[in-house]
Amino acid sequence: MKSIIAALVFAIGTLTVAVAAADSSGITVEHAWARASPKGAVTGGAYVTIINNGSSDDRLLGVSSPAAERIQFHSETNDNGIAKMVQLQTIDVPAGGSFTFKPGGTHMMMTGLKQPLREGESVQLLLRFEKAGTVEATARIGKIAAMSDPGNQAGSAN
Ligand SMILES: [Cu+2]
């Protein structure tokens, strides 16, 4: 009987360790998408939802892509009908919380595009977090003025 209890305690101990390891980075990136760039444009908008199911706060430090020279975070505010963009250095993603980049709100601005962003194609994003490290996401490219993830639109042309 004693040996069975010992085995059980050992099994539970192992399980706890496994859960703790998975919990150390609870960051997932969902709904990565971008807007098609108009002809000749050198900038483009990219959007993701970051979910933090971990037990500690994390912070998005930067994003890069092989398709752009750099990616900035811009928050957009409406000041008496005039849209203003302010650059943010980092994005906080609290434990148990999430952050959504979206058109008209905080967005990722790809600058120095190396190739046009074409609807129906995709672009790689590398998100660098303070604790979770680098998380890769594939952004689907939607229409020029798309307002949401093209993968989520009913009646998508794809
Ligand atoms: Cu912007």
Side-chain angles (χ1 to χ4, degrees):
M1 189 62 188
K2 241 180 194 163
S3 66
I4 292 168
I5 291 167
L8 208 67
V9 167
F10 177 75
I12 291 166
T14 311
L15 206 72
T16 308
V17 169
V19 169
D23 205 35
S24 67
S25 164
I27 293 285
T28 54
V29 176
E30 295 180 359
H31 299 304
W33 65 283
R35 279 178 168 176
S37 56
K39 201 171 182 167
V42 292
T43 62
Y47 315 91
V48 300
T49 296
I50 300 162
I51 297 160
N52 185 354
N53 282 322
S55 52
S56 53
D57 298 345
D58 209 338
R59 179 173 288 151
L60 180 61
L61 302 175
V63 181
S64 63
S65 170
E69 267 165 31
R70 87 187 73 236
I71 301 180
Q72 296 179 340
F73 306 134
H74 286 173
S75 79
E76 198 171 310
T77 54
N78 198 304
D79 188 8
N80 289 324
I82 300 159
K84 280 187 181 170
M85 290 204 278
V86 176
Q87 190 181 345
L88 305 174
Q89 296 306 316
T90 57
I91 303 289
D92 288 338
V93 191
S98 66
F99 188 91
T100 300
F101 289 89
K102 52 180 180 275
T106 301
H107 54 274
M108 295 181 189
M109 193 74 124
M110 305 173 77
T111 65
L113 282 180
K114 294 170 185 171
Q115 67 215 46
L117 303 177
R118 293 192 185 88
E119 187 184 352
E121 295 183 357
S122 62
V123 65
Q124 291 303 113
L125 299 173
L126 292 163
L127 293 84
R128 197 162 44 85
F129 291 90
E130 196 170 75
K131 291 182 184 130
T134 301
V135 178
E136 199 174 336
T138 302
R140 288 168 288 231
I141 302 173
K143 294 183 189 306
I144 286 176
M147 289 303 288
S148 63
D149 183 351
N152 273 354
Q153 285 172 348
S156 159
N158 299 325

PDB file of all heavy atoms in Angstrom, residues 61-78:
ATOM      1  N   LEU A  61       7.939  43.565 -27.105  1.00  0.00           N
ATOM      2  CA  LEU A  61       9.034  44.529 -27.237  1.00  0.00           C
ATOM      3  C   LEU A  61       9.220  45.015 -28.668  1.00  0.00           C
ATOM      4  O   LEU A  61       9.679  46.131 -28.895  1.00  0.00           O
ATOM      5  CB  LEU A  61      10.342  43.888 -26.759  1.00  0.00           C
ATOM      6  CG  LEU A  61      10.371  43.372 -25.324  1.00  0.00           C
ATOM      7  CD1 LEU A  61      11.679  42.657 -25.046  1.00  0.00           C
ATOM      8  CD2 LEU A  61      10.154  44.518 -24.344  1.00  0.00           C
ATOM      9  N   GLY A  62       8.880  44.153 -29.619  1.00  0.00           N
ATOM     10  CA  GLY A  62       9.069  44.549 -31.007  1.00  0.00           C
ATOM     11  C   GLY A  62       8.566  43.480 -31.953  1.00  0.00           C
ATOM     12  O   GLY A  62       8.344  42.335 -31.548  1.00  0.00           O
ATOM     13  N   VAL A  63       8.370  43.871 -33.202  1.00  0.00           N
ATOM     14  CA  VAL A  63       7.922  42.930 -34.239  1.00  0.00           C
ATOM     15  C   VAL A  63       8.765  43.187 -35.473  1.00  0.00           C
ATOM     16  O   VAL A  63       9.078  44.335 -35.806  1.00  0.00           O
ATOM     17  CB  VAL A  63       6.428  43.126 -34.580  1.00  0.00           C
ATOM     18  CG1 VAL A  63       5.978  42.131 -35.644  1.00  0.00           C
ATOM     19  CG2 VAL A  63       5.572  42.973 -33.342  1.00  0.00           C
ATOM     20  N   SER A  64       9.140  42.109 -36.141  1.00  0.00           N
ATOM     21  CA  SER A  64       9.849  42.268 -37.404  1.00  0.00           C
ATOM     22  C   SER A  64       9.239  41.333 -38.437  1.00  0.00           C
ATOM     23  O   SER A  64       8.452  40.447 -38.106  1.00  0.00           O
ATOM     24  CB  SER A  64      11.341  41.973 -37.218  1.00  0.00           C
ATOM     25  OG  SER A  64      11.522  40.632 -36.819  1.00  0.00           O
ATOM     26  N   SER A  65       9.578  41.570 -39.689  1.00  0.00           N
ATOM     27  CA  SER A  65       9.065  40.751 -40.779  1.00  0.00           C
ATOM     28  C   SER A  65      10.062  40.783 -41.923  1.00  0.00           C
ATOM     29  O   SER A  65      10.671  41.830 -42.174  1.00  0.00           O
ATOM     30  CB  SER A  65       7.716  41.299 -41.267  1.00  0.00           C
ATOM     31  OG  SER A  65       7.330  40.647 -42.468  1.00  0.00           O
ATOM     32  N   PRO A  66      10.242  39.665 -42.615  1.00  0.00           N
ATOM     33  CA  PRO A  66      11.127  39.693 -43.775  1.00  0.00           C
ATOM     34  C   PRO A  66      10.587  40.619 -44.879  1.00  0.00           C
ATOM     35  O   PRO A  66      11.332  41.003 -45.766  1.00  0.00           O
ATOM     36  CB  PRO A  66      11.170  38.234 -44.256  1.00  0.00           C
ATOM     37  CG  PRO A  66      10.220  37.478 -43.433  1.00  0.00           C
ATOM     38  CD  PRO A  66       9.706  38.341 -42.329  1.00  0.00           C
ATOM     39  N   ALA A  67       9.308  40.985 -44.783  1.00  0.00           N
ATOM     40  CA  ALA A  67       8.682  41.787 -45.839  1.00  0.00           C
ATOM     41  C   ALA A  67       8.825  43.293 -45.624  1.00  0.00           C
ATOM     42  O   ALA A  67       8.491  44.072 -46.516  1.00  0.00           O
ATOM     43  CB  ALA A  67       7.204  41.423 -45.946  1.00  0.00           C
ATOM     44  N   ALA A  68       9.329  43.710 -44.451  1.00  0.00           N
ATOM     45  CA  ALA A  68       9.391  45.144 -44.158  1.00  0.00           C
ATOM     46  C   ALA A  68      10.697  45.502 -43.464  1.00  0.00           C
ATOM     47  O   ALA A  68      11.286  44.677 -42.763  1.00  0.00           O
ATOM     48  CB  ALA A  68       8.221  45.552 -43.276  1.00  0.00           C
ATOM     49  N   GLU A  69      11.146  46.744 -43.679  1.00  0.00           N
ATOM     50  CA  GLU A  69      12.369  47.183 -43.019  1.00  0.00           C
ATOM     51  C   GLU A  69      12.161  47.307 -41.517  1.00  0.00           C
ATOM     52  O   GLU A  69      13.006  46.948 -40.731  1.00  0.00           O
ATOM     53  CB  GLU A  69      12.838  48.523 -43.598  1.00  0.00           C
ATOM     54  CG  GLU A  69      13.831  48.321 -44.727  1.00  0.00           C
ATOM     55  CD  GLU A  69      14.057  49.549 -45.567  1.00  0.00           C
ATOM     56  OE1 GLU A  69      13.952  50.662 -45.029  1.00  0.00           O
ATOM     57  OE2 GLU A  69      14.319  49.385 -46.769  1.00  0.00           O
ATOM     58  N   ARG A  70      11.017  47.860 -41.132  1.00  0.00           N
ATOM     59  CA  ARG A  70      10.724  47.919 -39.705  1.00  0.00           C
ATOM     60  C   ARG A  70       9.217  47.949 -39.476  1.00  0.00           C
ATOM     61  O   ARG A  70       8.454  48.286 -40.374  1.00  0.00           O
ATOM     62  CB  ARG A  70      11.432  49.094 -39.037  1.00  0.00           C
ATOM     63  CG  ARG A  70      10.686  50.419 -39.063  1.00  0.00           C
ATOM     64  CD  ARG A  70      11.538  51.539 -38.523  1.00  0.00           C
ATOM     65  NE  ARG A  70      12.586  51.878 -39.483  1.00  0.00           N
ATOM     66  CZ  ARG A  70      13.894  51.888 -39.212  1.00  0.00           C
ATOM     67  NH1 ARG A  70      14.315  51.601 -38.026  1.00  0.00           N
ATOM     68  NH2 ARG A  70      14.750  52.215 -40.136  1.00  0.00           N
ATOM     69  N   ILE A  71       8.841  47.610 -38.244  1.00  0.00           N
ATOM     70  CA  ILE A  71       7.433  47.641 -37.860  1.00  0.00           C
ATOM     71  C   ILE A  71       7.303  48.444 -36.583  1.00  0.00           C
ATOM     72  O   ILE A  71       8.003  48.189 -35.603  1.00  0.00           O
ATOM     73  CB  ILE A  71       6.871  46.215 -37.667  1.00  0.00           C
ATOM     74  CG1 ILE A  71       7.024  45.413 -38.973  1.00  0.00           C
ATOM     75  CG2 ILE A  71       5.411  46.266 -37.234  1.00  0.00           C
ATOM     76  CD1 ILE A  71       6.504  43.986 -38.901  1.00  0.00           C
ATOM     77  N   GLN A  72       6.447  49.458 -36.635  1.00  0.00           N
ATOM     78  CA  GLN A  72       6.208  50.296 -35.463  1.00  0.00           C
ATOM     79  C   GLN A  72       4.816  50.006 -34.896  1.00  0.00           C
ATOM     80  O   GLN A  72       3.941  49.550 -35.610  1.00  0.00           O
ATOM     81  CB  GLN A  72       6.274  51.772 -35.848  1.00  0.00           C
ATOM     82  CG  GLN A  72       7.642  52.221 -36.337  1.00  0.00           C
ATOM     83  CD  GLN A  72       7.668  53.688 -36.748  1.00  0.00           C
ATOM     84  OE1 GLN A  72       6.633  54.285 -37.028  1.00  0.00           O
ATOM     85  NE2 GLN A  72       8.847  54.264 -36.778  1.00  0.00           N
ATOM     86  N   PHE A  73       4.671  50.311 -33.608  1.00  0.00           N
ATOM     87  CA  PHE A  73       3.338  50.251 -32.994  1.00  0.00           C
ATOM     88  C   PHE A  73       2.766  51.660 -32.995  1.00  0.00           C
ATOM     89  O   PHE A  73       3.407  52.587 -32.506  1.00  0.00           O
ATOM     90  CB  PHE A  73       3.416  49.753 -31.547  1.00  0.00           C
ATOM     91  CG  PHE A  73       4.134  48.445 -31.379  1.00  0.00           C
ATOM     92  CD1 PHE A  73       5.078  48.269 -30.378  1.00  0.00           C
ATOM     93  CD2 PHE A  73       3.865  47.380 -32.234  1.00  0.00           C
ATOM     94  CE1 PHE A  73       5.743  47.063 -30.211  1.00  0.00           C
ATOM     95  CE2 PHE A  73       4.531  46.169 -32.081  1.00  0.00           C
ATOM     96  CZ  PHE A  73       5.470  46.016 -31.068  1.00  0.00           C
ATOM     97  N   HIS A  74       1.581  51.816 -33.538  1.00  0.00           N
ATOM     98  CA  HIS A  74       0.929  53.124 -33.542  1.00  0.00           C
ATOM     99  C   HIS A  74      -0.407  53.045 -32.833  1.00  0.00           C
ATOM    100  O   HIS A  74      -1.189  52.142 -33.108  1.00  0.00           O
ATOM    101  CB  HIS A  74       0.652  53.584 -34.993  1.00  0.00           C
ATOM    102  CG  HIS A  74       1.883  54.025 -35.722  1.00  0.00           C
ATOM    103  ND1 HIS A  74       1.865  54.332 -37.065  1.00  0.00           N
ATOM    104  CD2 HIS A  74       3.160  54.214 -35.303  1.00  0.00           C
ATOM    105  CE1 HIS A  74       3.097  54.691 -37.437  1.00  0.00           C
ATOM    106  NE2 HIS A  74       3.893  54.627 -36.403  1.00  0.00           N
ATOM    107  N   SER A  75      -0.641  53.985 -31.950  1.00  0.00           N
ATOM    108  CA  SER A  75      -1.995  54.088 -31.420  1.00  0.00           C
ATOM    109  C   SER A  75      -2.677  55.207 -32.173  1.00  0.00           C
ATOM    110  O   SER A  75      -2.041  56.191 -32.553  1.00  0.00           O
ATOM    111  CB  SER A  75      -1.972  54.358 -29.917  1.00  0.00           C
ATOM    112  OG  SER A  75      -1.703  55.711 -29.667  1.00  0.00           O
ATOM    113  N   GLU A  76      -3.943  55.031 -32.448  1.00  0.00           N
ATOM    114  CA  GLU A  76      -4.676  56.023 -33.229  1.00  0.00           C
ATOM    115  C   GLU A  76      -5.761  56.622 -32.347  1.00  0.00           C
ATOM    116  O   GLU A  76      -6.528  55.913 -31.720  1.00  0.00           O
ATOM    117  CB  GLU A  76      -5.291  55.338 -34.459  1.00  0.00           C
ATOM    118  CG  GLU A  76      -5.703  56.314 -35.540  1.00  0.00           C
ATOM    119  CD  GLU A  76      -6.094  55.587 -36.822  1.00  0.00           C
ATOM    120  OE1 GLU A  76      -5.326  54.723 -37.289  1.00  0.00           O
ATOM    121  OE2 GLU A  76      -7.185  55.866 -37.342  1.00  0.00           O
ATOM    122  N   THR A  77      -5.770  57.930 -32.288  1.00  0.00           N
ATOM    123  CA  THR A  77      -6.818  58.599 -31.530  1.00  0.00           C
ATOM    124  C   THR A  77      -7.518  59.587 -32.442  1.00  0.00           C
ATOM    125  O   THR A  77      -6.944  60.055 -33.424  1.00  0.00           O
ATOM    126  CB  THR A  77      -6.245  59.358 -30.315  1.00  0.00           C
ATOM    127  OG1 THR A  77      -5.210  60.240 -30.769  1.00  0.00           O
ATOM    128  CG2 THR A  77      -5.672  58.411 -29.286  1.00  0.00           C
ATOM    129  N   ASN A  78      -8.742  59.873 -32.109  1.00  0.00           N
ATOM    130  CA  ASN A  78      -9.519  60.809 -32.911  1.00  0.00           C
ATOM    131  C   ASN A  78      -9.691  62.092 -32.122  1.00  0.00           C
ATOM    132  O   ASN A  78     -10.359  62.125 -31.098  1.00  0.00           O
ATOM    133  CB  ASN A  78     -10.872  60.177 -33.247  1.00  0.00           C
ATOM    134  CG  ASN A  78     -11.529  60.892 -34.402  1.00  0.00           C
ATOM    135  OD1 ASN A  78     -11.732  62.102 -34.359  1.00  0.00           O
ATOM    136  ND2 ASN A  78     -11.855  60.142 -35.435  1.00  0.00           N
TER     137      ASN A  78
END
